[in-house]
Amino acid sequence: MAMTEPERQAWAEKLAALREEALLHTEQALAYMARYGIRPEGHIQPFLPPAARQQHIDRLPYEHAVRQVVVYETEPGEFSAVCPFSGLPDYGVLRIEYVPGSWILELKSLKYYLISWRHIGVTQEDVTAMVYQDVMRHLEDPEYLKVTTVYNVRGGIRTTCTVDSREQRR
């Protein structure tokens, strides 16, 4: 079934806005790096800002008296964001571990959330902190929450980032 002209126009406007947002964010990231004397290497690709990621993760009530550890871990290559310095993808394994309070995360929604990072330009450390904050907001009251990212080796360096609620100031 073909799109109507108003539908085509609406999609064209959405794409134009998305393109403009990506260019603006990329320019802002380059200006930020320049303030610290960092020059991008390689080809610069436009990327989206972190605010463009999926903002909602569905959840289900956890109604059990038993304490259990829940772990979600991506397969290698399934989680990625974009390096804001090179425009290249940063691939890694993302692990979310928690003991539920009132809620558990719904898996399909979590998968869509994780995929939404693929075109976001953000440092590895920032994405780990943001995922932690997003998941904590949706879980509300886990006994603990730990988010770890282990990125593929780049330039001979493996980056592992961890945010653990048990180590945060209360």
Side-chain angles (χ1 to χ4, degrees), residues 7-23:
E7 289 172 327
R8 250 191 308 279
Q9 182 62 34
W11 276 110
E13 289 172 9
K14 286 180 184 180
L15 286 173
L18 190 61
R19 188 176 301 116
E20 186 63 32
E21 181 181 26
L23 290 173

Side-chain angles (χ1 to χ4, degrees), residues 26 43-47 82 86-88:
T26 304
H43 300 283
I44 299 301
Q45 302 286 332
F47 46 82
V82 178
S86 67
L88 297 171

Side-chain angles (χ1 to χ4, degrees), residues 91-123:
Y91 292 101
V93 172
L94 180 126
R95 178 183 171 97
I96 298 170
E97 176 183 320
Y98 66 98
V99 171
S102 303
W103 304 99
I104 59 173
L105 301 177
E106 192 277 322
L107 284 178
K108 176 181 57 81
S109 180
L110 177 62
K111 289 174 188 176
Y112 282 123
Y113 167 79
L114 296 176
I115 289 169
S116 76
W117 284 95
R118 288 201 171 156
H119 301 289
I120 305 298
V122 63
T123 65

